[in-house]
Amino acid sequence: RTQRRKWALSRDFKVRWSSPLVGKASCKARTLHAERILALACAAGCCVQEAARVLCGGAGVEGVAAVEAARAASAALRRAAGIWEAVSRAGHEAVASDANLCGERSAEAYAGVAEAMSAVALADAQAAVALAAEHRATPSRALAAKLHRGAAQLYDGASDALRAASRGLEAAPSALLYYLRLAPSLTMARARRCLAVDVRAADRTGEADSLLRRAKASLDATAAEPPP
């Protein structure tokens, strides 16, 4: 009787969800496990939207306002990272206890994708902190460059998580794969730009120009690659 009730409940869960990774009305939730995963993923997506709203609202401002906007965005992104970790745990639990989840799974239901998204959110948060360091009243560009390099390493860690996970690359949306290709190159270019400003201030113009040329060459090479 309990099994019949469980089967009926699972069968009746046919609500379409707007996946934060894929788009509007892009997936169905047929079980309570799937509902939980998508609800958590949407909560993480809301945190990312909040960070984007704060950063866009702070575009063009300088000084204290820019620093506060970057810090607020970083805090929202760190919340998103924590929620994505919960999504990953929920994905592991769902596969272990509910075979029905394997029939039609959203990208979020794959633990490897959720782990990668957690790393992406942390990388975005660190990139926001680096922007805050650049906009301080007395900017520490060496610190900002170090933070940008750390963000690039976190993006690379997200790519590694996808490759290591079962069906991670297969389940990941193409937009996520493209972002993981562009983001490390962009953050490294920002790191080189920060260093270039410092070395130019020390009258090492040739070294500064070299750093900027390397940054541009890396960005151009990445942008020239076709999307997945």
Side-chain angles (χ1 to χ4, degrees), residues 166-189:
S166 174
R167 298 189 64 190
L169 290 174
E170 179 183 343
S174 59
L176 173 58
L177 298 177
Y178 194 45
Y179 185 74
L180 286 174
R181 181 193 301 172
L182 294 177
S185 180
L186 178 60
T187 50
M188 284 303 299

Side-chain angles (χ1 to χ4, degrees), residues 130-197:
L131 291 175
E134 290 185 56
H135 286 95
R136 280 168 24 185
T138 54
S140 174
R141 295 189 177 86
L143 173 61
K146 182 177 180 180
L147 290 168
H148 282 309
R149 287 196 299 269
Q153 291 172 355
L154 287 170
Y155 288 125
D156 290 337
S159 297
D160 292 341
L162 280 179
R163 284 191 289 267
S166 174
R167 298 189 64 190
L169 290 174
E170 179 183 343
S174 59
L176 173 58
L177 298 177
Y178 194 45
Y179 185 74
L180 286 174
R181 181 193 301 172
L182 294 177
S185 180
L186 178 60
T187 50
M188 284 303 299
R190 286 172 172 165
R192 291 186 176 112
R193 181 197 61 192
C194 291
L195 293 175
V197 172

Side-chain angles (χ1 to χ4, degrees), residues 45-221:
C46 288
C47 290
V48 175
Q49 285 184 332
E50 178 188 348
R53 177 184 58 78
V54 170
L55 286 175
C56 289
V61 299
E62 297 291 338
V64 175
V67 172
E68 290 303 317
R71 286 176 177 170
S74 177
L77 289 164
R78 290 185 187 281
R79 289 197 299 273
I83 296 172
W84 278 116
E85 288 182 5
V87 174
S88 176
R89 291 193 297 271
H92 283 299
E93 293 169 4
V95 171
S97 61
D98 191 350
N100 289 330
L101 188 66
C102 299
E104 181 182 350
R105 295 171 66 181
S106 62
E108 295 85 353
Y110 290 88
V113 174
E115 289 170 9
M117 286 303 301
S118 179
V120 166
L122 285 175
D124 289 343
Q126 181 147 329
V129 172
L131 291 175
E134 290 185 56
H135 286 95
R136 280 168 24 185
T138 54
S140 174
R141 295 189 177 86
L143 173 61
K146 182 177 180 180
L147 290 168
H148 282 309
R149 287 196 299 269
Q153 291 172 355
L154 287 170
Y155 288 125
D156 290 337
S159 297
D160 292 341
L162 280 179
R163 284 191 289 267
S166 174
R167 298 189 64 190
L169 290 174
E170 179 183 343
S174 59
L176 173 58
L177 298 177
Y178 194 45
Y179 185 74
L180 286 174
R181 181 193 301 172
L182 294 177
S185 180
L186 178 60
T187 50
M188 284 303 299
R190 286 172 172 165
R192 291 186 176 112
R193 181 197 61 192
C194 291
L195 293 175
V197 172
D198 273 356
V199 297
R200 189 183 293 275
D203 291 330
R204 290 148 56 191
T205 305
E207 186 177 346
D209 289 345
S210 176
L211 284 166
L212 292 174
R213 282 195 298 270
R214 287 170 60 193
K216 184 178 185 303
S218 176
L219 285 174
D220 289 343

Side-chain angles (χ1 to χ4, degrees), residues 16-19 22-27:
R16 277 206 168 272
W17 284 75
S18 296
S19 162
V22 180
K24 184 177 180 181
S26 52
C27 54

Side-chain angles (χ1 to χ4, degrees), residues 26-51:
S26 52
C27 54
K28 290 182 180 179
R30 297 184 181 276
T31 69
L32 286 172
H33 285 301
E35 287 270 327
R36 179 188 177 202
I37 287 169
L38 286 167
L40 286 169
C42 286
C46 288
C47 290
V48 175
Q49 285 184 332
E50 178 188 348

